[in-house]
Amino acid sequence: MARSELNQSSDTRQVNKADILKDFQASFFSMCRLASLPWTTCLHSLCQKFPPSVRYRRLFLLELIRRQEAAGCDPLDELYDALTAVVAAVETTECYKSYLLPCGDAVSLLENVAVISEGTTGLVTWEAALYLAEWALDHRQSFTGRTVLELGSGVGLTGVTVCRSCSPARYFFSDCHPRVLQKLRDNIQLNGLAESPSVSVEELDWTEVTEERLKEIGANTVIAADVVYDPDIVRSLVKLLSKILKCSSAHVLPEVFICSTIRNPETYSGFKQQLE
């Protein structure tokens, strides 16, 4: 998947990343007029509907204009008009990020601009969630027709991707921070999943969830992204995973997939040791 800020006129067909890159390369190598190139700019309809942060759009356009001027090309009025509009825009604490699925469809999420805000880091998409979503698309058999429990869903990238592309029988998003849960519900609605009877959002405290509730969920696939970053959280996670396995049938244990960014090797090593 890739973040999307693509400028293409047709809204009647889904955009395919590979086709865009191919068109761009063909236009570039044949030295087509710059204005006719399929620039990845702020003019695409997806960007108009779900705009990235004002700062990001401003920096993007400034860099694009700088490169164009350095190449000695004729100025493009569209770029300067877009920059004027962005400069006049008001900075906000929230913005949208959009990620293209292989089918060309997009997952758009409302996220906070700041990495840490409102006492949590769960209001932005972290790298491991992106990798887990990509992995899920390559291993759909682990989700299709299954009951999936996601731990620490955050703003929802992985779960929305799985729900829209992997056809799970049931999908349980979960988190415990009130503001994260609200943002998660907003993004589920934003991506057209709020009315699905197979999609649920759980307020799930790893230290307090009961075996009875885990049995009711009955997950046969458990996933989590970027939840191995603090020793205290790791201990709670391992205890929860043990409880999930204990609640499951001895004949059919759930598959568990944890995707991590290793920021502290000692913490990650401790996690693996506790799993053993």
Side-chain angles (χ1 to χ4, degrees), residues 34-104:
L34 280 176
S36 68
L37 265 65
W39 287 106
T40 57
T41 72
C42 300
L43 303 181
H44 187 264
S45 58
L46 183 61
C47 183
Q48 300 296 316
K49 186 176 182 180
F50 301 118
S53 72
V54 172
R55 180 176 182 273
Y56 183 86
R57 284 179 284 155
R58 183 176 68 249
L59 292 175
F60 177 89
L61 287 166
L62 286 171
E63 178 64 14
L64 190 56
I65 290 171
R66 185 190 69 78
R67 291 183 179 225
Q68 185 207 23
E69 292 176 344
C73 302
D74 295 333
L76 295 178
D77 291 340
E78 293 89 343
L79 292 181
Y80 292 95
D81 290 343
L83 179 60
T84 299
V86 171
V87 169
V90 177
E91 295 273 7
T92 62
T93 59
E94 297 178 319
C95 68
Y96 292 96
K97 293 183 181 179
S98 296
Y99 307 85
L100 283 185
L101 300 175
C103 65

Side-chain angles (χ1 to χ4, degrees), residues 61-174:
L61 287 166
L62 286 171
E63 178 64 14
L64 190 56
I65 290 171
R66 185 190 69 78
R67 291 183 179 225
Q68 185 207 23
E69 292 176 344
C73 302
D74 295 333
L76 295 178
D77 291 340
E78 293 89 343
L79 292 181
Y80 292 95
D81 290 343
L83 179 60
T84 299
V86 171
V87 169
V90 177
E91 295 273 7
T92 62
T93 59
E94 297 178 319
C95 68
Y96 292 96
K97 293 183 181 179
S98 296
Y99 307 85
L100 283 185
L101 300 175
C103 65
D105 199 5
V107 173
S108 295
L109 303 173
L110 182 63
E111 306 185 14
N112 277 29
V113 174
V115 172
I116 302 175
S117 57
E118 302 183 53
T120 179
T121 58
L123 295 170
V124 298
T125 294
W126 291 88
E127 187 177 14
L130 180 58
Y131 278 98
L132 183 55
E134 292 176 338
W135 184 89
L137 293 174
D138 289 334
H139 299 81
R140 300 181 192 222
Q141 70 278 5
S142 294
F143 303 93
T144 302
R146 298 168 71 92
T147 297
V148 182
L149 170 62
E150 182 183 7
L151 305 174
S153 298
V155 291
L157 173 61
T158 302
V160 171
T161 301
V162 170
C163 288
R164 287 174 56 173
S165 300
C166 301
S167 303
R170 292 292 309 275
Y171 196 97
F172 291 87
F173 293 84
S174 74

